[in-house]
Amino acid sequence: MAKIIPFKAVRPTRDKVSLLAARSYDSYTALQVESRLRDNPFSFLHIVNPGYKYQKEISGEERYGLVKNRYQEFKEDGIFIQDEKPSLYIYKIVNRDGLEFSGIVAAASVQDYENDLIKRHEDTLEFREQIFKEYLKTVGFNAESVLLTYPDNLELEGIINAVMQRRPEYEFTTTYRDTHYVWNVDDEALLQKIQKIYSEMPALYIADGHHRSASSYLLAKDLKEENPHHTGEEAYNFFMSYLIPESNLKIYEFNRLVKDLNGLEKQEFLIKLDEYFRIENRGMEYYKPSKLHHFSMYLDGEFYSLYLRKAKYEIKNALDALDTHILFMTILKPLLGIEDLRNDQRIEYSHGKKDLAYVKTAVDSGNFAVGFGLLPVTTEEMKMIADEGLKMPPKSTYIEPKLRSGVTIYEF
């Protein structure tokens, strides 16, 4: 039932790909951005930060137009080429920790998104959807794939492994010490076979990229209304995606840091926690939860384990059973007064790759009063929430792999 299609990717020449490929813009510090823009004229960051040419901060519609201009200049200068035949792209990453991810870059259907064949587990912010929709409408391309996942499929795995026996079109290692490999697949018989396998899957799941997929859907609605000859096969009816099997996802937790105890004294806070949790003081032991509904807390120089009192908390659906939701419903909202997890300035998030030492340091610095550590969400939990039409709290998952921007570009 899921529809994916090959496309003619715009992509860097083989000799430039390692110089051009960039992480997501907001993953760099200001100093890192400055050094890359200064020292690397081929970086994709020059396209998404076009004001650097004029040493000026540019935003809004003016920036969108300049992004399009920079992109066209890269094409005119031969830094980008476009494939002559529609292709799917096998993409493999071996990251700095030795983890391997292999999947397929393809164009996924906005119709499937609308019909809930591409399922989502996170809420999106309407203003961000609209901003990114207008950006896409002006620039006319996707440079960053939405991460989609599906149940492991042995036939598809065999095809991917067979293709990866060939010499890749790209093989490059980044300064971040991740190695990337890309293979083109343009054989029509093989393309049809891959598409048929996906068409027999009842659903795909968004792992990362909820705002990107929502914005692509909104853009398609706009362009459909503007096109009296709309057929449903136009390029704007699809968005670039990276599809990998569920077993290939790596999901990390997002730990929580809160700046104050909402006017409560330490002992008063602990007594209130006791209603919902069995509490044990672990002292300086780095306690990391190992079971569902167990939490770590760092407060006033000491770690605590918090075990949910199941008799006190009713679980009626998949969301109720999710640890990030339990933490919100039992501690963050009623005790610490945090109702808006996206916008409240008193809470910050730290993904699990930074571990509990980061949480401890942040609290010890005096910038935060308390930190909470959680277990990572599982793929099954994520799917159950999506299947029930529910939405996780924000910052429930930090998911790898993270593709580089600009390696394959989808035009519409």
Side-chain angles (χ1 to χ4, degrees):
M1 295 168 67
K3 181 176 183 178
I4 63 111
I5 63 169
F7 64 100
K8 298 177 182 179
V10 174
R11 53 188 181 83
T13 55
R14 185 180 289 179
D15 63 316
K16 301 288 195 307
V17 63
S18 63
L19 295 168
L20 186 135
R23 302 199 309 271
S24 176
Y25 184 81
D26 58 9
S27 70
Y28 294 97
T29 66
L31 286 176
Q32 289 173 330
V33 170
E34 173 66 27
S35 68
R36 281 157 176 77
L37 292 172
R38 182 185 64 241
D39 300 331
N40 179 4
F42 302 109
S43 173
F44 191 76
L45 295 178
H46 281 284
I47 294 176
V48 295
N49 189 12
Y52 179 78
K53 181 176 181 178
Y54 305 106
Q55 294 298 299
K56 181 182 178 183
E57 287 286 334
I58 300 173
S59 60
E61 292 184 6
E62 185 179 24
R63 173 177 168 263
Y64 306 162
L66 290 178
V67 167
K68 184 175 183 178
N69 290 347
R70 294 292 163 275
Y71 175 64
Q72 293 299 332
E73 289 166 8
F74 270 48
K75 292 176 72 175
E76 291 163 3
D77 292 343
I79 299 168
F80 282 132
I81 58 174
Q82 185 166 23
D83 287 322
E84 295 182 359
K85 298 174 66 176
S87 303
L88 298 175
Y89 302 88
I90 308 293
Y91 200 131
K92 176 182 175 181
I93 303 171
V94 181
N95 76 5
R96 64 196 298 173
D97 301 318
L99 297 176
E100 293 189 11
F101 308 95
S102 299
I104 297 176
V105 177
S109 167
V110 297
Q111 191 71 43
D112 286 350
Y113 178 89
E114 181 178 29
N115 294 335
D116 203 34
L117 297 178
I118 295 178
K119 295 180 177 287
R120 40 224 188 255
H121 64 262
E122 281 186 10
D123 274 329
T124 51
L125 298 175
E126 185 177 354
F127 80 92
R128 285 188 61 192
E129 292 177 7
Q130 293 293 333
I131 288 172
F132 197 56
K133 180 198 74 172
E134 294 304 320
Y135 171 82
L136 293 175
K137 200 169 194 176
T138 301
V139 303
F141 63 82
N142 288 149
E144 192 173 351
S145 298
V146 172
L147 184 62
L148 300 179
T149 192
Y150 56 87
D152 287 35
N153 183 288
L154 289 177
E155 185 178 10
L156 199 50
E157 181 182 349
I159 291 172
I160 291 172
N161 288 336
V163 170
M164 290 195 302
Q165 299 308 306
R166 308 192 318 236
R167 181 193 178 197
E169 175 69 11
Y170 295 145
E171 179 179 358
F172 64 97
T173 300
T174 69
T175 55
Y176 207 60
R177 291 180 293 171
D178 295 342
T179 302
H180 298 246
Y181 308 83
V182 180
W183 293 261
N184 287 41
V185 178
D186 60 13
D187 176 77
E188 289 190 13
L190 188 54
L191 291 175
Q192 289 176 12
K193 190 173 185 179
I194 293 171
Q195 287 179 278
K196 183 175 184 297
I197 294 171
Y198 280 112
S199 72
E200 293 169 350
M201 294 180 183
L204 301 171
Y205 293 83
I206 299 175
D208 191 24
H210 284 78
H211 282 93
R212 275 170 276 148
S213 47
S215 301
S216 294
Y217 165 66
L218 292 175
L219 175 66
K221 285 180 65 178
D222 278 7
L223 296 181
K224 175 182 177 181
E225 291 175 3
E226 296 171 10
N227 181 4
H229 306 294
H230 173 85
T231 66
E233 296 303 318
E234 295 87 354
Y236 60 72
N237 293 291
F238 301 88
F239 56 94
M240 189 168 68
S241 300
Y242 181 44
L243 299 102
I244 69 171
E246 293 171 4
S247 63
N248 225 208
L249 285 180
K250 177 63 177 176
I251 305 178
Y252 297 90
E253 70 277 16
F254 262 108
N255 297 319
R256 273 71 170 136
L257 291 158
V258 182
K259 293 186 176 180
D260 60 68
L261 297 182
N262 197 30
L264 299 173
E265 296 295 331
K266 173 185 172 181
Q267 294 303 323
E268 186 181 6
F269 177 60
L270 289 171
I271 290 169
K272 287 181 178 294
L273 277 181
D274 196 87
E275 179 182 358
Y276 278 101
F277 296 93
R278 178 179 172 182
I279 305 169
E280 183 176 342
N281 187 325
R282 302 277 181 152
M284 293 303 295
E285 174 194 348
Y286 275 70
Y287 171 72
K288 183 176 176 63
S290 58
K291 294 182 179 179
L292 280 177
H293 313 332
H294 289 190
F295 303 86
S296 170
M297 181 175 72
Y298 185 70
L299 173 68
D300 193 27
E302 297 178 306
F303 282 96
Y304 295 81
S305 58
L306 308 179
Y307 300 164
L308 182 68
R309 298 186 189 278
K310 295 178 182 178
K312 285 287 297 181
Y313 183 85
E314 185 179 5
I315 295 176
K316 296 179 287 187
N317 55 43
L319 180 61
D320 289 339
L322 192 72
D323 281 349
T324 53
H325 185 69
I326 291 171
L327 189 72
F328 174 65
M329 296 301 294
T330 59
I331 301 177
L332 298 180
K333 182 178 179 180
L335 301 187
L336 298 180
I338 295 171
E339 300 197 11
D340 185 347
L341 292 172
R342 291 188 184 278
N343 299 309
D344 195 312
Q345 298 300 304
R346 295 170 54 236
I347 186 168
E348 292 187 16
Y349 303 90
S350 138
H351 61 67
K353 293 188 78 173
K354 292 183 176 178
D355 71 34
L356 288 175
Y358 180 88
V359 173
K360 179 181 184 300
T361 300
V363 174
D364 288 344
S365 72
N367 293 324
F368 299 92
V370 63
F372 299 96
L374 298 88
L375 273 183
V377 172
T378 66
T379 304
E380 282 306 310
E381 287 179 302
M382 185 177 75
K383 288 174 61 180
M384 285 172 62
I385 285 172
D387 288 341
E388 292 182 25
L390 302 169
K391 301 294 184 290
M392 291 184 184
K395 299 294 185 184
S396 287
T397 57
Y398 179 85
I399 298 180
E400 290 189 336
K402 305 287 187 189
L403 289 191
R404 292 285 169 133
S405 296
V407 178
T408 58
I409 293 175
Y410 178 73
E411 292 187 338
F412 41 83

